[in-house]
Amino acid sequence: MTVWIERELCNGCKRCIQACPYGAIELEEGKARILDRCTGCGACLAVCKQEAVKSDTRPREVPDFRDRSGVWVFAEQREGVLHPVSLELLGKACELAEALGQEVAALLLGDGIGPLAETLFRYGAQKVFLVEHPILTHYRTLPYTNVIERLVREQKPNVFLLGATHIGRDLAPRVSRRIGVGLTADCTELAIDPEERILLQTRPAFGGNVMATIANRFSRPQMATVRPGVMEAREIPENQGEVIPFPVELSEEEAGTVVLERVKEEKKRVDLSKARVIVAGGRGVGDRAGFEVLEALAALLGGVTAGTRVAVEEGWIAADRQVGQTGQSVRPELYVACGISGAIQHRAGMMNARYIVAINKDPRAPIFQIADWGIVGDLRDVVPQMIEQLRGGRLL
Ligand code: FAD
């Protein structure tokens, strides 16, 4: 496909330059100019309001999605207990639905789990599609996929969010494949594009070295998974909603698997996502003894310690305390980052903290870009001083 600019139509707005993923358009004397490295992907065609970008092939037509409505959340439950990520997703779904002027719905599958609908309403659902059947008692891939496929085809939602849990990671790709739509896994941010009114799905890409925003113009629902702890659950006690029972006929034959036994192993992993205060350390902490000092600070603040991947790899802190893209996502009230540079993979797990305090001896450390308070200094001086002042009641 060849792409060119009709110079007399171009007003130099730069929308095409921003849209080009290959940096193949530049401005020359106030007009866009296509460079040799253009791959003909056509991203610039869709954004040009002047119709100044021309090509010798027709751009792919955006289907009419006016019949698609609703922001859906998969309400994951095990043995009648909702997974917290479902409530967190409802919080985000409320925001998205408000921006779109659409409703928030939850999909609740299981057996004898109807009363959970009340909790879903309290966290923002306006509708709960309730599917109850003995075969749905425990999660199994095929029955859950079959039921959700039917619901999606009948109800035509616009957006569908699932938690990136073990169940969500199994279910979401199955459903997306069945329906023939895309899926963005492990999103760290979701928003609605105000102009195109489509879902902007942001996630780390290329080994976490960049944050990529993915949008889907050509299919619905727009599907995304989000890891627990990334979004914020918001209770709306006065919210009320409607339960919509969705009767299904299911057979063991179509289930494909049989649950013989459920084995529960005691989970020793520390759930950092619930911590209100986290004192985290990185390479700058230097050794295991340095982490003991952070533990003293965390104890005084009523919090827990965590670390970067470097701190985990050095063996200064347990692997289940790693924060970041390949660790846990946290959202504490206070995150004290000690000797942490603020690499994008670390920030992906903690940037939603309410307040961030960074202690680093390098004033140019990227962590200061997201910190609410920055202390430039050696943490071996700063942290003991903080401890001393807290013990003396001077910082409380
Ligand atoms: P550094 O980047 O080395 O920073 C150390 C900082 O300490 C520096 O800014 C320095 O100025 C400061 N410092 C040194 N001494 C002192 C002192 N005495 N006082 C004060 N400040 C001092 N990382 C994660 O954390 N979590 C993840 O989940 C994660 N996932 C990853 C996934 C992938 C695919 C990849 C490629 C990488 C991942 N990483 C992850 C690694 C990440 O890229 C960084 O390497 C890591 O976060 C850096 O850790 P750090 O800040 O402890 O170390």
Side-chain angles (χ1 to χ4, degrees):
M1 172 162 102
T2 310
V3 179
W4 69 92
I5 306 288
E6 294 284 354
R7 285 179 64 84
E8 61 281 8
L9 295 177
C10 176
N11 64 359
C13 72
K14 299 189 193 162
R15 285 173 68 87
C16 56
I17 295 177
Q18 284 153 11
C20 177
Y22 301 98
I25 311 179
E26 65 176 20
L27 213 58
E28 188 184 73
E29 293 167 6
K31 308 276 180 184
R33 187 170 79 91
I34 307 285
L35 305 178
D36 288 345
R37 60 174 167 268
C38 170
T39 63
C41 73
C44 51
L45 290 164
V47 297
C48 180
K49 294 195 167 166
Q50 302 299 114
E51 297 187 9
V53 188
K54 303 287 182 195
S55 90
D56 52 6
T57 46
R58 278 166 57 86
R60 194 171 156 197
E61 214 160 284
V62 178
D64 182 355
F65 289 124
R66 274 175 298 184
D67 62 337
R68 303 294 169 138
S69 183
V71 180
W72 281 18
V73 170
F74 173 63
E76 181 176 329
Q77 60 83 23
R78 290 179 197 201
E79 297 178 353
V81 179
L82 281 169
H83 194 292
V85 75
S86 309
L87 307 181
E88 293 160 13
L89 288 177
L90 280 174
K92 179 48 84 174
C94 288
E95 264 177 59
L96 302 176
E98 197 183 335
L100 289 164
Q102 298 180 359
E103 276 188 329
V104 177
L107 302 194
L108 183 57
L109 278 67
D111 197 28
I113 36 82
L116 295 180
E118 283 307 318
T119 310
L120 297 170
F121 294 143
R122 215 170 60 243
Y123 282 86
Q126 290 156 298
K127 279 182 186 166
V128 171
F129 291 101
L130 177 64
V131 194
E132 295 199 278
H133 193 286
I135 286 187
L136 300 173
T137 304
H138 301 301
Y139 173 76
R140 279 184 283 175
T141 308
L142 285 180
Y144 270 61
T145 305
N146 293 344
V147 169
I148 294 177
E149 182 191 0
R150 271 189 52 200
L151 263 162
V152 169
R153 289 196 190 282
E154 275 185 28
Q155 300 291 327
K156 299 186 170 44
N158 185 10
V159 173
F160 185 18
L161 310 177
L162 299 92
T165 58
H166 291 302
I167 289 179
R169 284 175 200 268
D170 182 62
L171 181 62
R174 286 281 186 148
V175 172
S176 77
R177 179 69 189 87
R178 282 279 187 88
I179 302 164
V181 301
L183 167 69
T184 309
D186 289 349
C187 294
T188 51
E189 179 50 20
L190 296 168
I192 299 295
D193 180 286
E195 281 186 25
E196 290 197 64
R197 292 167 58 76
I198 54 178
L199 185 66
L200 302 177
Q201 306 157 85
T202 303
R203 56 151 296 149
F206 297 111
N209 291 315
V210 291
M211 297 301 276
T213 298
I214 296 158
N216 179 357
R217 289 198 178 90
F218 300 104
S219 60
R220 295 290 182 275
Q222 301 160 88
M223 284 186 68
T225 65
V226 178
R227 291 201 294 172
V230 174
M231 305 298 176
E232 194 177 3
R234 290 200 187 105
E235 213 174 334
I236 315 169
E238 69 283 359
N239 185 54
Q240 291 187 345
E242 180 192 3
V243 175
I244 304 172
F246 189 78
V248 287
E249 281 179 22
L250 298 169
S251 67
E252 275 299 335
E253 288 73 57
E254 75 177 276
T257 49
V258 177
V259 179
L260 296 176
E261 191 188 0
R262 289 175 58 79
V263 183
K264 275 193 188 168
E265 274 185 26
E266 200 188 332
K267 214 172 159 188
K268 295 214 176 72
R269 189 171 186 250
V270 183
D271 189 359
L272 294 176
S273 66
K274 293 204 176 70
R276 287 175 58 78
V277 177
I278 294 178
V279 179
R283 196 194 304 273
V285 176
D287 52 22
R288 175 73 207 118
F291 264 88
E292 282 168 17
V293 183
L294 299 195
E295 273 160 26
L297 177 62
L300 280 165
L301 292 169
V304 295
T305 50
T308 63
R309 189 160 100 172
V310 170
V312 169
E313 283 168 355
E314 291 288 343
W316 303 336
I317 191 156
D320 62 2
R321 302 234 177 184
Q322 181 182 319
V323 170
Q325 186 190 329
T326 43
Q328 296 195 52
S329 296
V330 297
R331 182 185 266 287
E333 290 290 305
L334 175 63
Y335 191 89
V336 187
C338 308
I340 292 176
S341 59
I344 193 166
Q345 295 89 353
H346 186 75
R347 295 205 311 245
M350 47 67 77
M351 61 193 175
N352 287 323
R354 179 135 187 231
Y355 296 112
I356 297 170
V357 176
I359 307 164
N360 198 304
K361 64 181 184 185
D362 176 3
R364 287 160 307 161
I367 193 75
F368 288 130
Q369 290 162 13
I370 55 162
D372 297 280
W373 293 282
I375 303 171
V376 179
D378 191 321
L379 64 89
R380 285 168 298 191
D381 301 328
V382 177
V383 176
Q385 273 188 48
M386 289 169 91
I387 291 172
E388 198 192 310
Q389 295 199 12
L390 281 165
R391 284 197 180 130
R394 276 176 283 156
L395 281 184
L396 289 173

